[in-house]
Amino acid sequence: MKIRSFILVVMLLTGTLQVSAQKVYKLNRFVDSVLTVRYWRANIDTNYITRPQTKWTLVGRFNVSGARIRSMGTDTGQHFETKLQADYKSTVSVGVSYLGISLNLSLNPGKMLGKYHDYELGFRSYGKRFGFDVTYQDASNFKGWHEVEGVRRDITTSEDMFKLRTLNVNAYYVFNHRRFSYPAAFAHSYIQRRSVGSFMLAVSGQGQHGKVNEKGSQPMDFKMTNIGIGAGYGYNYVPGKGWLIHISALPTFIVYSNTSLTTGDNNIPLRYRFPEVIITARSAVVKQIGKNKFAGFSFVYNYCRIGDKESLNVRNSKWLSRLYFGFRL
């Protein structure tokens, strides 16, 4: 009886596993078919851009980023100017894409070794018609100088002295999306075959909060929120088979701004001065190697300028460069 009961249990478990395996197989087939239809249904002019013939894409990247903030103005009748640059951040990342849907993992060796406590988060989506990138940076390691009435002193900040949090959001809409491909330069889910350009609409946003607690000086608190709307142009140049050179600039004029700088009990006003802008510039070089390999370099630069030099003027810049190599499987 015990042997029969054991055999019956094994048969039931085997049958259950077979049913579960069949359900998983059917679900995988269904998901794959939906993604495949979505992948190939792209409304594009194949004389200019095409989809890669493979489903999988693997990409390894080496990333370097940096940030700079510069302010100038008048505090209690004295002219001041400050220029600070964040330590460069280097990361190594690996990306996996299946039919245009990607997942990326990044590692920062310097942070893992405890060299600094800064961190940065990023989320990017480059579509053929719509796209955006969002970055958040929490940084305290800056180097630079501060000058008051011509007297300059060097500054090296620390986590206890200076804290700067920055959020950048940039979105675009491509008019000539059937022929001009942003993803061909940055996401590798398309291949640009012929040179073409496109006008684009753009929306930009930036939020920033900085605090300075330096010994012997009054604490300083800086807050900034900006939203800009504008338009720009991008161009994909194909100088030869397998090559792509991309360049684009998206200037946006600030339509909403809320900025303040407080030193102790003194609030320094920010006066509007035309033009106040947020500019996003991108460039890339991509080389197709053989049938299923590619390599390249990309660069994204964000710049914001607001205010008047006579009261308070703030200029922010942030950049990200990438060197990468990929396979299509």
Side-chain angles (χ1 to χ4, degrees):
M1 291 296 295
K2 291 183 179 181
I3 295 176
R4 291 180 180 178
S5 299
F6 175 75
I7 294 174
L8 180 61
V9 170
V10 171
M11 292 176 64
L12 290 173
L13 289 175
T14 303
T16 302
L17 290 174
Q18 289 178 346
V19 172
S20 299
Q22 290 177 356
K23 290 182 178 179
V24 171
Y25 176 75
K26 290 181 179 179
L27 179 61
N28 288 337
R29 287 288 301 273
F30 174 74
V31 172
D32 183 79
S33 63
V34 171
L35 293 178
T36 300
V37 171
R38 170 186 171 274
Y39 184 79
W40 290 109
R41 194 173 52 190
N43 181 22
I44 58 177
D45 185 342
T46 54
N47 291 317
Y48 286 82
I49 53 178
T50 60
R51 282 286 205 180
Q53 298 297 313
T54 56
K55 293 183 177 182
W56 291 91
T57 302
L58 304 178
V59 186
R61 301 182 179 94
F62 176 69
N63 316 295
V64 180
S65 63
R68 178 181 297 175
I69 180 171
R70 184 178 182 182
S71 62
M72 60 190 71
T74 303
D75 181 13
T76 63
Q78 293 183 317
H79 178 77
F80 71 90
E81 184 173 354
T82 303
K83 185 177 181 180
L84 296 173
Q85 180 172 299
D87 289 347
Y88 296 146
K89 309 297 186 304
S90 300
T91 61
V92 179
S93 63
V94 177
V96 180
S97 176
Y98 180 71
L99 292 175
I101 298 178
S102 302
L103 178 66
N104 296 278
L105 174 65
S106 298
L107 298 175
N108 189 321
K111 186 174 179 63
M112 294 174 66
L113 294 174
K115 292 183 177 181
Y116 50 79
H117 301 288
D118 297 359
Y119 67 88
E120 182 174 329
L121 301 174
F123 180 66
R124 299 170 180 86
S125 177
Y126 294 119
K128 67 185 182 69
R129 183 179 299 186
F130 300 99
F132 62 88
D133 53 50
V134 180
T135 59
Y136 174 79
Q137 183 183 45
D138 191 325
S140 57
N141 292 305
F142 284 79
K143 295 180 181 179
W145 48 265
H146 179 67
E147 182 179 288
V148 179
E149 294 296 328
V151 179
R152 180 179 296 190
R153 62 185 179 87
D154 294 331
I155 297 176
T156 301
T157 68
S158 63
E159 189 173 5
D160 296 331
M161 174 185 172
F162 184 62
K163 196 76 171 179
L164 182 66
R165 297 181 176 92
T166 305
L167 175 68
N168 287 301
V169 180
N170 302 285
Y172 66 82
Y173 173 84
V174 177
F175 286 102
N176 192 17
H177 57 271
R178 295 187 66 248
R179 296 181 176 182
F180 172 85
S181 176
Y182 239 103
F186 296 96
H188 317 298
S189 55
Y190 289 85
I191 297 174
Q192 189 80 42
R193 301 180 62 187
R194 298 174 64 180
S195 301
V196 70
S198 177
F199 286 99
M200 290 176 286
L201 296 177
V203 177
S204 300
Q206 185 182 70
Q208 197 167 64
H209 186 194
K211 289 186 176 182
V212 179
N213 292 295
E214 186 178 5
K215 293 181 180 180
S217 301
Q218 291 183 328
M220 183 181 296
D221 190 272
F222 172 74
K223 295 180 180 179
M224 178 177 68
T225 302
N226 296 306
I227 298 175
I229 299 175
Y233 190 81
Y235 192 77
N236 280 349
Y237 175 54
V238 181
K241 185 177 180 180
W243 283 96
L244 170 62
I245 300 174
H246 168 89
I247 186 169
S248 61
L250 300 176
T252 59
F253 293 94
I254 295 176
V255 295
Y256 172 81
S257 179
N258 185 6
T259 305
S260 65
L261 175 63
T262 304
T263 304
D265 296 328
N266 182 35
N267 185 277
I268 303 175
L270 183 75
R271 298 172 183 172
Y272 179 83
R273 181 178 181 179
F274 181 84
E276 293 189 343
V277 295
I278 301 174
I279 300 174
T280 302
R282 298 181 176 94
S283 62
V285 178
V286 184
K287 177 65 173 72
Q288 306 295 327
I289 305 172
K291 292 184 178 181
N292 297 318
K293 295 186 287 293
F294 59 90
F297 172 82
S298 66
F299 185 79
V300 179
Y301 179 77
N302 295 297
Y303 174 79
C304 176
R305 187 188 70 181
I306 59 171
D308 191 316
K309 294 181 181 179
E310 300 303 321
S311 55
L312 176 62
N313 178 265
V314 180
R315 303 176 185 181
N316 276 290
S317 59
K318 190 178 186 314
W319 56 268
L320 170 67
S321 62
R322 284 179 162 179
L323 186 67
Y324 53 83
F325 184 82
F327 300 86
R328 293 189 175 99
L329 306 174

